[in-house]
PDB file of all heavy atoms in Angstrom:
ATOM      1  N   SER A  28      -1.066  -3.158  12.293  1.00 96.00           N
ATOM      2  CA  SER A  28      -1.049  -1.731  11.998  1.00 96.00           C
ATOM      3  C   SER A  28       0.347  -1.257  11.637  1.00 96.00           C
ATOM      4  O   SER A  28       1.337  -1.661  12.254  1.00 96.00           O
ATOM      5  CB  SER A  28      -1.564  -0.945  13.213  1.00 96.00           C
ATOM      6  OG  SER A  28      -1.424   0.452  13.008  1.00 96.00           O
ATOM      7  N   LYS A  29       0.413  -0.374  10.661  1.00 95.00           N
ATOM      8  CA  LYS A  29       1.689   0.202  10.241  1.00 95.00           C
ATOM      9  C   LYS A  29       1.956   1.544  10.914  1.00 95.00           C
ATOM     10  O   LYS A  29       2.989   2.168  10.645  1.00 95.00           O
ATOM     11  CB  LYS A  29       1.707   0.376   8.715  1.00 95.00           C
ATOM     12  CG  LYS A  29       1.664  -0.938   7.952  1.00 95.00           C
ATOM     13  CD  LYS A  29       1.706  -0.696   6.449  1.00 95.00           C
ATOM     14  CE  LYS A  29       1.684  -2.018   5.681  1.00 95.00           C
ATOM     15  NZ  LYS A  29       1.697  -1.793   4.203  1.00 95.00           N
ATOM     16  N   TYR A  30       1.049   1.980  11.769  1.00 94.00           N
ATOM     17  CA  TYR A  30       1.216   3.290  12.396  1.00 94.00           C
ATOM     18  C   TYR A  30       2.189   3.190  13.562  1.00 94.00           C
ATOM     19  O   TYR A  30       2.001   2.384  14.478  1.00 94.00           O
ATOM     20  CB  TYR A  30      -0.117   3.825  12.900  1.00 94.00           C
ATOM     21  CG  TYR A  30      -0.009   5.234  13.447  1.00 94.00           C
ATOM     22  CD1 TYR A  30      -0.008   6.326  12.600  1.00 94.00           C
ATOM     23  CD2 TYR A  30       0.116   5.463  14.816  1.00 94.00           C
ATOM     24  CE1 TYR A  30       0.103   7.623  13.090  1.00 94.00           C
ATOM     25  CE2 TYR A  30       0.230   6.751  15.312  1.00 94.00           C
ATOM     26  CZ  TYR A  30       0.225   7.822  14.443  1.00 94.00           C
ATOM     27  OH  TYR A  30       0.348   9.089  14.933  1.00 94.00           O
ATOM     28  N   SER A  31       3.232   4.016  13.550  1.00 93.00           N
ATOM     29  CA  SER A  31       4.222   4.016  14.626  1.00 93.00           C
ATOM     30  C   SER A  31       4.538   5.431  15.094  1.00 93.00           C
ATOM     31  O   SER A  31       5.570   5.661  15.725  1.00 93.00           O
ATOM     32  CB  SER A  31       5.514   3.323  14.152  1.00 93.00           C
ATOM     33  OG  SER A  31       6.043   3.978  13.006  1.00 93.00           O
ATOM     34  N   GLY A  32       3.674   6.371  14.770  1.00 94.00           N
ATOM     35  CA  GLY A  32       3.943   7.759  15.094  1.00 94.00           C
ATOM     36  C   GLY A  32       3.474   8.150  16.473  1.00 94.00           C
ATOM     37  O   GLY A  32       3.170   7.311  17.328  1.00 94.00           O
ATOM     38  N   ARG A  33       3.450   9.458  16.706  1.00 96.00           N
ATOM     39  CA  ARG A  33       2.952  10.002  17.964  1.00 96.00           C
ATOM     40  C   ARG A  33       1.481   9.643  18.149  1.00 96.00           C
ATOM     41  O   ARG A  33       0.780   9.350  17.205  1.00 96.00           O
ATOM     42  CB  ARG A  33       3.116  11.525  17.971  1.00 96.00           C
ATOM     43  CG  ARG A  33       4.571  11.989  17.822  1.00 96.00           C
ATOM     44  CD  ARG A  33       4.613  13.476  17.557  1.00 96.00           C
ATOM     45  NE  ARG A  33       5.977  13.967  17.398  1.00 96.00           N
ATOM     46  CZ  ARG A  33       6.665  13.922  16.252  1.00 96.00           C
ATOM     47  NH1 ARG A  33       6.114  13.407  15.166  1.00 96.00           N
ATOM     48  NH2 ARG A  33       7.897  14.392  16.193  1.00 96.00           N
ATOM     49  N   TRP A  34       1.039   9.691  19.360  1.00 97.00           N
ATOM     50  CA  TRP A  34      -0.370   9.426  19.706  1.00 97.00           C
ATOM     51  C   TRP A  34      -0.806   8.024  19.284  1.00 97.00           C
ATOM     52  O   TRP A  34      -1.942   7.795  18.886  1.00 97.00           O
ATOM     53  CB  TRP A  34      -1.290  10.481  19.079  1.00 97.00           C
ATOM     54  CG  TRP A  34      -0.830  11.872  19.372  1.00 97.00           C
ATOM     55  CD1 TRP A  34      -0.812  12.500  20.582  1.00 97.00           C
ATOM     56  CD2 TRP A  34      -0.293  12.806  18.424  1.00 97.00           C
ATOM     57  NE1 TRP A  34      -0.296  13.769  20.452  1.00 97.00           N
ATOM     58  CE2 TRP A  34       0.025  13.995  19.146  1.00 97.00           C
ATOM     59  CE3 TRP A  34      -0.056  12.771  17.056  1.00 97.00           C
ATOM     60  CZ2 TRP A  34       0.566  15.109  18.522  1.00 97.00           C
ATOM     61  CZ3 TRP A  34       0.484  13.887  16.439  1.00 97.00           C
ATOM     62  CH2 TRP A  34       0.796  15.042  17.166  1.00 97.00           C
ATOM     63  N   ARG A  35       0.116   7.070  19.405  1.00 97.00           N
ATOM     64  CA  ARG A  35      -0.209   5.720  18.977  1.00 97.00           C
ATOM     65  C   ARG A  35      -1.379   5.142  19.767  1.00 97.00           C
ATOM     66  O   ARG A  35      -2.232   4.433  19.216  1.00 97.00           O
ATOM     67  CB  ARG A  35       1.006   4.799  19.121  1.00 97.00           C
ATOM     68  CG  ARG A  35       0.742   3.382  18.596  1.00 97.00           C
ATOM     69  CD  ARG A  35       1.934   2.450  18.782  1.00 97.00           C
ATOM     70  NE  ARG A  35       1.648   1.147  18.202  1.00 97.00           N
ATOM     71  CZ  ARG A  35       0.950   0.192  18.821  1.00 97.00           C
ATOM     72  NH1 ARG A  35       0.481   0.408  20.045  1.00 97.00           N
ATOM     73  NH2 ARG A  35       0.733  -0.979  18.229  1.00 97.00           N
ATOM     74  N   GLU A  36      -1.438   5.442  21.066  1.00 97.00           N
ATOM     75  CA  GLU A  36      -2.519   4.892  21.885  1.00 97.00           C
ATOM     76  C   GLU A  36      -3.880   5.377  21.394  1.00 97.00           C
ATOM     77  O   GLU A  36      -4.826   4.586  21.279  1.00 97.00           O
ATOM     78  CB  GLU A  36      -2.308   5.281  23.348  1.00 97.00           C
ATOM     79  CG  GLU A  36      -3.318   4.643  24.281  1.00 97.00           C
ATOM     80  CD  GLU A  36      -3.014   4.926  25.740  1.00 97.00           C
ATOM     81  OE1 GLU A  36      -1.898   5.409  26.041  1.00 97.00           O
ATOM     82  OE2 GLU A  36      -3.898   4.664  26.580  1.00 97.00           O
ATOM     83  N   ALA A  37      -3.999   6.677  21.088  1.00 98.00           N
ATOM     84  CA  ALA A  37      -5.273   7.214  20.614  1.00 98.00           C
ATOM     85  C   ALA A  37      -5.624   6.650  19.244  1.00 98.00           C
ATOM     86  O   ALA A  37      -6.797   6.337  18.968  1.00 98.00           O
ATOM     87  CB  ALA A  37      -5.217   8.739  20.549  1.00 98.00           C
ATOM     88  N   VAL A  38      -4.632   6.522  18.379  1.00 98.00           N
ATOM     89  CA  VAL A  38      -4.877   5.977  17.039  1.00 98.00           C
ATOM     90  C   VAL A  38      -5.270   4.508  17.131  1.00 98.00           C
ATOM     91  O   VAL A  38      -6.197   4.045  16.443  1.00 98.00           O
ATOM     92  CB  VAL A  38      -3.637   6.171  16.144  1.00 98.00           C
ATOM     93  CG1 VAL A  38      -3.783   5.403  14.840  1.00 98.00           C
ATOM     94  CG2 VAL A  38      -3.421   7.659  15.860  1.00 98.00           C
ATOM     95  N   THR A  39      -4.585   3.755  17.993  1.00 98.00           N
ATOM     96  CA  THR A  39      -4.917   2.339  18.144  1.00 98.00           C
ATOM     97  C   THR A  39      -6.323   2.158  18.689  1.00 98.00           C
ATOM     98  O   THR A  39      -7.093   1.319  18.195  1.00 98.00           O
ATOM     99  CB  THR A  39      -3.905   1.652  19.078  1.00 98.00           C
ATOM    100  OG1 THR A  39      -2.602   1.719  18.490  1.00 98.00           O
ATOM    101  CG2 THR A  39      -4.265   0.191  19.301  1.00 98.00           C
ATOM    102  N   ARG A  40      -6.689   2.946  19.696  1.00 98.00           N
ATOM    103  CA  ARG A  40      -8.048   2.823  20.238  1.00 98.00           C
ATOM    104  C   ARG A  40      -9.071   3.187  19.184  1.00 98.00           C
ATOM    105  O   ARG A  40     -10.117   2.525  19.066  1.00 98.00           O
ATOM    106  CB  ARG A  40      -8.188   3.717  21.482  1.00 98.00           C
ATOM    107  CG  ARG A  40      -9.550   3.678  22.148  1.00 98.00           C
ATOM    108  CD  ARG A  40     -10.062   2.280  22.432  1.00 98.00           C
ATOM    109  NE  ARG A  40      -9.093   1.448  23.132  1.00 98.00           N
ATOM    110  CZ  ARG A  40      -9.164   0.131  23.210  1.00 98.00           C
ATOM    111  NH1 ARG A  40     -10.155  -0.524  22.614  1.00 98.00           N
ATOM    112  NH2 ARG A  40      -8.236  -0.564  23.854  1.00 98.00           N
ATOM    113  N   SER A  41      -8.793   4.222  18.389  1.00 97.00           N
ATOM    114  CA  SER A  41      -9.731   4.602  17.328  1.00 97.00           C
ATOM    115  C   SER A  41      -9.870   3.494  16.305  1.00 97.00           C
ATOM    116  O   SER A  41     -10.971   3.211  15.816  1.00 97.00           O
ATOM    117  CB  SER A  41      -9.258   5.900  16.655  1.00 97.00           C
ATOM    118  OG  SER A  41      -9.393   6.998  17.535  1.00 97.00           O
ATOM    119  N   SER A  42      -8.765   2.844  15.949  1.00 97.00           N
ATOM    120  CA  SER A  42      -8.844   1.746  14.982  1.00 97.00           C
ATOM    121  C   SER A  42      -9.613   0.570  15.561  1.00 97.00           C
ATOM    122  O   SER A  42     -10.376  -0.104  14.847  1.00 97.00           O
ATOM    123  CB  SER A  42      -7.441   1.316  14.545  1.00 97.00           C
ATOM    124  OG  SER A  42      -6.717   0.725  15.604  1.00 97.00           O
ATOM    125  N   LEU A  43      -9.453   0.308  16.862  1.00 97.00           N
ATOM    126  CA  LEU A  43     -10.215  -0.767  17.500  1.00 97.00           C
ATOM    127  C   LEU A  43     -11.709  -0.455  17.532  1.00 97.00           C
ATOM    128  O   LEU A  43     -12.539  -1.353  17.413  1.00 97.00           O
ATOM    129  CB  LEU A  43      -9.687  -1.008  18.914  1.00 97.00           C
ATOM    130  CG  LEU A  43      -8.389  -1.823  18.998  1.00 97.00           C
ATOM    131  CD1 LEU A  43      -7.752  -1.681  20.371  1.00 97.00           C
ATOM    132  CD2 LEU A  43      -8.642  -3.284  18.672  1.00 97.00           C
ATOM    133  N   VAL A  44     -12.060   0.828  17.691  1.00 97.00           N
ATOM    134  CA  VAL A  44     -13.469   1.215  17.615  1.00 97.00           C
ATOM    135  C   VAL A  44     -14.023   0.938  16.220  1.00 97.00           C
ATOM    136  O   VAL A  44     -15.113   0.380  16.061  1.00 97.00           O
ATOM    137  CB  VAL A  44     -13.646   2.704  17.984  1.00 97.00           C
ATOM    138  CG1 VAL A  44     -15.064   3.180  17.661  1.00 97.00           C
ATOM    139  CG2 VAL A  44     -13.348   2.928  19.456  1.00 97.00           C
ATOM    140  N   LEU A  45     -13.256   1.329  15.194  1.00 96.00           N
ATOM    141  CA  LEU A  45     -13.702   1.076  13.820  1.00 96.00           C
ATOM    142  C   LEU A  45     -13.897  -0.411  13.571  1.00 96.00           C
ATOM    143  O   LEU A  45     -14.871  -0.827  12.934  1.00 96.00           O
ATOM    144  CB  LEU A  45     -12.691   1.636  12.827  1.00 96.00           C
ATOM    145  CG  LEU A  45     -12.543   3.149  12.788  1.00 96.00           C
ATOM    146  CD1 LEU A  45     -11.487   3.543  11.766  1.00 96.00           C
ATOM    147  CD2 LEU A  45     -13.857   3.830  12.478  1.00 96.00           C
ATOM    148  N   LYS A  46     -12.973  -1.213  14.080  1.00 96.00           N
ATOM    149  CA  LYS A  46     -13.092  -2.652  13.885  1.00 96.00           C
ATOM    150  C   LYS A  46     -14.313  -3.197  14.619  1.00 96.00           C
ATOM    151  O   LYS A  46     -15.020  -4.073  14.112  1.00 96.00           O
ATOM    152  CB  LYS A  46     -11.816  -3.344  14.365  1.00 96.00           C
ATOM    153  CG  LYS A  46     -11.757  -4.837  14.045  1.00 96.00           C
ATOM    154  CD  LYS A  46     -11.732  -5.103  12.551  1.00 96.00           C
ATOM    155  CE  LYS A  46     -11.491  -6.586  12.262  1.00 96.00           C
ATOM    156  NZ  LYS A  46     -11.600  -6.897  10.811  1.00 96.00           N
ATOM    157  N   LEU A  47     -14.577  -2.683  15.834  1.00 96.00           N
ATOM    158  CA  LEU A  47     -15.762  -3.106  16.578  1.00 96.00           C
ATOM    159  C   LEU A  47     -17.041  -2.831  15.803  1.00 96.00           C
ATOM    160  O   LEU A  47     -17.999  -3.600  15.866  1.00 96.00           O
ATOM    161  CB  LEU A  47     -15.828  -2.363  17.908  1.00 96.00           C
ATOM    162  CG  LEU A  47     -15.306  -3.026  19.166  1.00 96.00           C
ATOM    163  CD1 LEU A  47     -15.607  -2.151  20.370  1.00 96.00           C
ATOM    164  CD2 LEU A  47     -15.894  -4.409  19.369  1.00 96.00           C
ATOM    165  N   LEU A  48     -17.066  -1.694  15.094  1.00 96.00           N
ATOM    166  CA  LEU A  48     -18.263  -1.289  14.362  1.00 96.00           C
ATOM    167  C   LEU A  48     -18.349  -1.942  12.988  1.00 96.00           C
ATOM    168  O   LEU A  48     -19.287  -1.681  12.238  1.00 96.00           O
ATOM    169  CB  LEU A  48     -18.290   0.237  14.223  1.00 96.00           C
ATOM    170  CG  LEU A  48     -18.426   1.016  15.540  1.00 96.00           C
ATOM    171  CD1 LEU A  48     -18.293   2.516  15.286  1.00 96.00           C
ATOM    172  CD2 LEU A  48     -19.740   0.701  16.237  1.00 96.00           C
ATOM    173  N   THR A  49     -17.362  -2.791  12.671  1.00 95.00           N
ATOM    174  CA  THR A  49     -17.326  -3.469  11.373  1.00 95.00           C
ATOM    175  C   THR A  49     -18.082  -4.786  11.441  1.00 95.00           C
ATOM    176  O   THR A  49     -17.971  -5.537  12.413  1.00 95.00           O
ATOM    177  CB  THR A  49     -15.870  -3.744  10.952  1.00 95.00           C
ATOM    178  OG1 THR A  49     -15.170  -2.504  10.838  1.00 95.00           O
ATOM    179  CG2 THR A  49     -15.808  -4.475   9.619  1.00 95.00           C
ATOM    180  N   SER A  50     -18.840  -5.073  10.404  1.00 94.00           N
ATOM    181  CA  SER A  50     -19.527  -6.352  10.298  1.00 94.00           C
ATOM    182  C   SER A  50     -18.598  -7.370   9.653  1.00 94.00           C
ATOM    183  O   SER A  50     -18.169  -7.190   8.509  1.00 94.00           O
ATOM    184  CB  SER A  50     -20.800  -6.218   9.450  1.00 94.00           C
ATOM    185  OG  SER A  50     -21.309  -7.485   9.108  1.00 94.00           O
ATOM    186  N   GLN A  51     -18.267  -8.420  10.401  1.00 93.00           N
ATOM    187  CA  GLN A  51     -17.413  -9.468   9.841  1.00 93.00           C
ATOM    188  C   GLN A  51     -18.083 -10.136   8.646  1.00 93.00           C
ATOM    189  O   GLN A  51     -17.420 -10.519   7.675  1.00 93.00           O
ATOM    190  CB  GLN A  51     -17.107 -10.505  10.924  1.00 93.00           C
ATOM    191  CG  GLN A  51     -16.172 -11.621  10.478  1.00 93.00           C
ATOM    192  CD  GLN A  51     -15.872 -12.594  11.613  1.00 93.00           C
ATOM    193  OE1 GLN A  51     -16.693 -12.800  12.497  1.00 93.00           O
ATOM    194  NE2 GLN A  51     -14.698 -13.190  11.594  1.00 93.00           N
ATOM    195  N   ARG A  52     -19.391 -10.234   8.712  1.00 93.00           N
ATOM    196  CA  ARG A  52     -20.125 -10.934   7.655  1.00 93.00           C
ATOM    197  C   ARG A  52     -20.226 -10.111   6.379  1.00 93.00           C
ATOM    198  O   ARG A  52     -20.085 -10.637   5.275  1.00 93.00           O
ATOM    199  CB  ARG A  52     -21.524 -11.283   8.159  1.00 93.00           C
ATOM    200  CG  ARG A  52     -22.341 -12.119   7.185  1.00 93.00           C
ATOM    201  CD  ARG A  52     -23.740 -12.362   7.707  1.00 93.00           C
ATOM    202  NE  ARG A  52     -23.732 -13.025   9.007  1.00 93.00           N
ATOM    203  CZ  ARG A  52     -24.838 -13.338   9.685  1.00 93.00           C
ATOM    204  NH1 ARG A  52     -26.024 -13.021   9.183  1.00 93.00           N
ATOM    205  NH2 ARG A  52     -24.761 -13.936  10.849  1.00 93.00           N
ATOM    206  N   TYR A  53     -20.431  -8.788   6.513  1.00 94.00           N
ATOM    207  CA  TYR A  53     -20.737  -7.968   5.341  1.00 94.00           C
ATOM    208  C   TYR A  53     -19.633  -6.986   4.952  1.00 94.00           C
ATOM    209  O   TYR A  53     -19.623  -6.506   3.820  1.00 94.00           O
ATOM    210  CB  TYR A  53     -22.029  -7.192   5.579  1.00 94.00           C
ATOM    211  CG  TYR A  53     -23.209  -8.075   5.897  1.00 94.00           C
ATOM    212  CD1 TYR A  53     -23.810  -8.036   7.160  1.00 94.00           C
ATOM    213  CD2 TYR A  53     -23.711  -8.977   4.959  1.00 94.00           C
ATOM    214  CE1 TYR A  53     -24.885  -8.855   7.466  1.00 94.00           C
ATOM    215  CE2 TYR A  53     -24.786  -9.797   5.262  1.00 94.00           C
ATOM    216  CZ  TYR A  53     -25.371  -9.736   6.516  1.00 94.00           C
ATOM    217  OH  TYR A  53     -26.428 -10.553   6.823  1.00 94.00           O
ATOM    218  N   GLY A  54     -18.741  -6.632   5.873  1.00 93.00           N
ATOM    219  CA  GLY A  54     -17.691  -5.669   5.559  1.00 93.00           C
ATOM    220  C   GLY A  54     -18.091  -4.223   5.766  1.00 93.00           C
ATOM    221  O   GLY A  54     -17.261  -3.325   5.600  1.00 93.00           O
ATOM    222  N   SER A  55     -19.342  -3.961   6.128  1.00 94.00           N
ATOM    223  CA  SER A  55     -19.808  -2.598   6.367  1.00 94.00           C
ATOM    224  C   SER A  55     -19.296  -2.102   7.715  1.00 94.00           C
ATOM    225  O   SER A  55     -18.916  -2.889   8.594  1.00 94.00           O
ATOM    226  CB  SER A  55     -21.333  -2.557   6.347  1.00 94.00           C
ATOM    227  OG  SER A  55     -21.875  -3.518   7.240  1.00 94.00           O
ATOM    228  N   ILE A  56     -19.291  -0.776   7.886  1.00 94.00           N
ATOM    229  CA  ILE A  56     -18.900  -0.158   9.160  1.00 94.00           C
ATOM    230  C   ILE A  56     -20.046   0.734   9.614  1.00 94.00           C
ATOM    231  O   ILE A  56     -20.407   1.696   8.935  1.00 94.00           O
ATOM    232  CB  ILE A  56     -17.610   0.669   9.022  1.00 94.00           C
ATOM    233  CG1 ILE A  56     -16.461  -0.214   8.513  1.00 94.00           C
ATOM    234  CG2 ILE A  56     -17.231   1.297  10.361  1.00 94.00           C
ATOM    235  CD1 ILE A  56     -15.170   0.545   8.271  1.00 94.00           C
ATOM    236  N   ALA A  57     -20.634   0.407  10.760  1.00 96.00           N
ATOM    237  CA  ALA A  57     -21.756   1.191  11.275  1.00 96.00           C
ATOM    238  C   ALA A  57     -21.291   2.590  11.660  1.00 96.00           C
ATOM    239  O   ALA A  57     -20.156   2.783  12.107  1.00 96.00           O
ATOM    240  CB  ALA A  57     -22.377   0.499  12.481  1.00 96.00           C
ATOM    241  N   ALA A  58     -22.178   3.568  11.503  1.00 96.00           N
ATOM    242  CA  ALA A  58     -21.833   4.942  11.881  1.00 96.00           C
ATOM    243  C   ALA A  58     -21.622   5.061  13.385  1.00 96.00           C
ATOM    244  O   ALA A  58     -20.782   5.843  13.842  1.00 96.00           O
ATOM    245  CB  ALA A  58     -22.928   5.899  11.426  1.00 96.00           C
ATOM    246  N   ALA A  59     -22.370   4.314  14.170  1.00 97.00           N
ATOM    247  CA  ALA A  59     -22.222   4.300  15.627  1.00 97.00           C
ATOM    248  C   ALA A  59     -22.900   3.042  16.152  1.00 97.00           C
ATOM    249  O   ALA A  59     -23.603   2.341  15.416  1.00 97.00           O
ATOM    250  CB  ALA A  59     -22.820   5.550  16.265  1.00 97.00           C
ATOM    251  N   ALA A  60     -22.701   2.781  17.441  1.00 97.00           N
ATOM    252  CA  ALA A  60     -23.235   1.561  18.038  1.00 97.00           C
ATOM    253  C   ALA A  60     -24.633   1.730  18.586  1.00 97.00           C
ATOM    254  O   ALA A  60     -25.233   0.759  19.038  1.00 97.00           O
ATOM    255  CB  ALA A  60     -22.303   1.096  19.158  1.00 97.00           C
ATOM    256  N   THR A  61     -25.174   2.955  18.569  1.00 98.00           N
ATOM    257  CA  THR A  61     -26.409   3.228  19.289  1.00 98.00           C
ATOM    258  C   THR A  61     -27.449   3.936  18.432  1.00 98.00           C
ATOM    259  O   THR A  61     -27.170   4.400  17.325  1.00 98.00           O
ATOM    260  CB  THR A  61     -26.114   4.124  20.514  1.00 98.00           C
ATOM    261  OG1 THR A  61     -25.480   5.323  20.064  1.00 98.00           O
ATOM    262  CG2 THR A  61     -25.210   3.420  21.501  1.00 98.00           C
ATOM    263  N   PHE A  62     -28.639   4.028  18.985  1.00 97.00           N
ATOM    264  CA  PHE A  62     -29.700   4.868  18.428  1.00 97.00           C
ATOM    265  C   PHE A  62     -30.268   5.698  19.570  1.00 97.00           C
ATOM    266  O   PHE A  62     -30.172   5.338  20.747  1.00 97.00           O
ATOM    267  CB  PHE A  62     -30.805   4.024  17.779  1.00 97.00           C
ATOM    268  CG  PHE A  62     -31.583   3.171  18.749  1.00 97.00           C
ATOM    269  CD1 PHE A  62     -32.752   3.638  19.342  1.00 97.00           C
ATOM    270  CD2 PHE A  62     -31.149   1.894  19.084  1.00 97.00           C
ATOM    271  CE1 PHE A  62     -33.464   2.854  20.245  1.00 97.00           C
ATOM    272  CE2 PHE A  62     -31.857   1.105  19.993  1.00 97.00           C
ATOM    273  CZ  PHE A  62     -33.015   1.587  20.563  1.00 97.00           C
ATOM    274  N   GLY A  63     -30.848   6.849  19.241  1.00 96.00           N
ATOM    275  CA  GLY A  63     -31.617   7.611  20.215  1.00 96.00           C
ATOM    276  C   GLY A  63     -30.836   8.496  21.156  1.00 96.00           C
ATOM    277  O   GLY A  63     -31.437   9.168  21.992  1.00 96.00           O
ATOM    278  N   LEU A  64     -29.508   8.535  21.079  1.00 96.00           N
ATOM    279  CA  LEU A  64     -28.749   9.413  21.967  1.00 96.00           C
ATOM    280  C   LEU A  64     -28.735  10.817  21.377  1.00 96.00           C
ATOM    281  O   LEU A  64     -28.375  11.001  20.214  1.00 96.00           O
ATOM    282  CB  LEU A  64     -27.330   8.884  22.173  1.00 96.00           C
ATOM    283  CG  LEU A  64     -27.251   7.561  22.940  1.00 96.00           C
ATOM    284  CD1 LEU A  64     -25.800   7.135  23.133  1.00 96.00           C
ATOM    285  CD2 LEU A  64     -27.951   7.671  24.290  1.00 96.00           C
TER     286      LEU A  64
END
């Protein structure tokens, strides 16, 4: 990551969430991890 500004912890966690929701096989990013909530 090239981000070095304020709120780095929140930005890093958000980027890790995006990566979690990313399909390694297809490159898509799911809108969320769940259904029905």
Side-chain angles (χ1 to χ4, degrees):
S28 174
K29 295 181 179 179
Y30 185 81
S31 58
R33 300 168 180 84
W34 309 293
R35 184 182 183 278
E36 185 174 347
V38 170
T39 297
R40 180 50 51 197
S41 291
S42 67
L43 282 164
V44 170
L45 293 179
K46 187 64 173 174
L47 263 186
L48 295 174
T49 299
S50 167
Q51 183 178 30
R52 185 183 302 179
Y53 303 114
S55 53
I56 302 177
T61 57
F62 66 92
L64 293 182

